[in-house]
Amino acid sequence: MQGTVDGFSYGLVTPLVAYFMACLGGALGLRCTTRSMLVAQSWRPGWLALGSAAIGSGIWTMHFIAMMGFTVRGTPIHYDKAMTFASLAVAIVMVGVGIFIVGYRGARGTALFTGGTITGLGIASMHYLGMASMTLDGKLEYNTVTVGISVAIAMAAATAALWAAGQVRGFLWSVGASLVMGLAVSGMHYTGMAALSVHLHGTSEPATGDSPASLLAPMLVGPLAFLLLAGVVVMFDPLMVMGKPAVVPVEHKPGIPAHTHVRHSAHRLRFRPRRTVEHRGSRTPQNR
């Protein structure tokens, strides 16, 4: 028996909140990636790791907030806790691999393509592993073509976002990139959900696992607390907000004279010979 799938049982509430979480995680992660390109080599792994965790937590939270509005008529839905949080680990690790490639090799050419591909595959893997954590009285079936489209969307979104992070053009640039990334991740999610169909078994055996309500508290408290902490780090670091390296002008460095003094010295050297000649010429008639 074919089950009726509804991904918007709470209307637009869950899609909008999920999109906001994807944008928040993307914005923090991209700023951390940008910041890693402006610091010394010893600080770079820390910023890249923070960015990986921010993006992974953001898209994971986005997925399960969106899944709160997912229902199948005729059967309750439960979640396996271990597989649910395994999807979070997969997201952070695979996104981290892609971000580290771009952070050390640059956001261009082969490095950008490789990093974007791995990051996109991490986003898609998180989604379908999270779907596999569902237990219900039925069988999940996917349309292969639609699944391929959702994976392509994730890869394209990740590549574009990492390219934008590598441009280092300021905070507004990264905000725009995070909005696009959030839209693409949400689009990938709902494209993947459109590929899903459920074939109900029609048995009376209850499904095992945790209900969505029991997963709501750890899902929100853990990743949201981390994203809040990452947001505080961004707010109190001016270089993170502006996206500009801390380059000290030459004239402001100790021991190096300002350019104005150099020009003044050149001016004096240029006019001193003329003044000397004129002075000698003016005294000649008096001596005669």
Side-chain angles (χ1 to χ4, degrees), residues 240-267:
M240 284 280 291
V241 177
M242 299 304 297
K244 297 179 180 179
V247 178
V248 180
V250 175
E251 58 268 20
H252 294 167
K253 294 183 179 180
I256 299 180
H259 291 306
T260 55
H261 296 299
V262 175
R263 290 194 299 267
H264 181 68
S265 300
H267 177 78

Side-chain angles (χ1 to χ4, degrees), residues 217-241:
M219 181 183 66
L220 294 180
V221 172
L224 283 180
F226 171 78
L227 291 174
L228 178 62
L229 179 61
V232 171
V233 173
V234 171
M235 291 176 59
F236 285 92
D237 188 347
L239 294 179
M240 284 280 291
V241 177

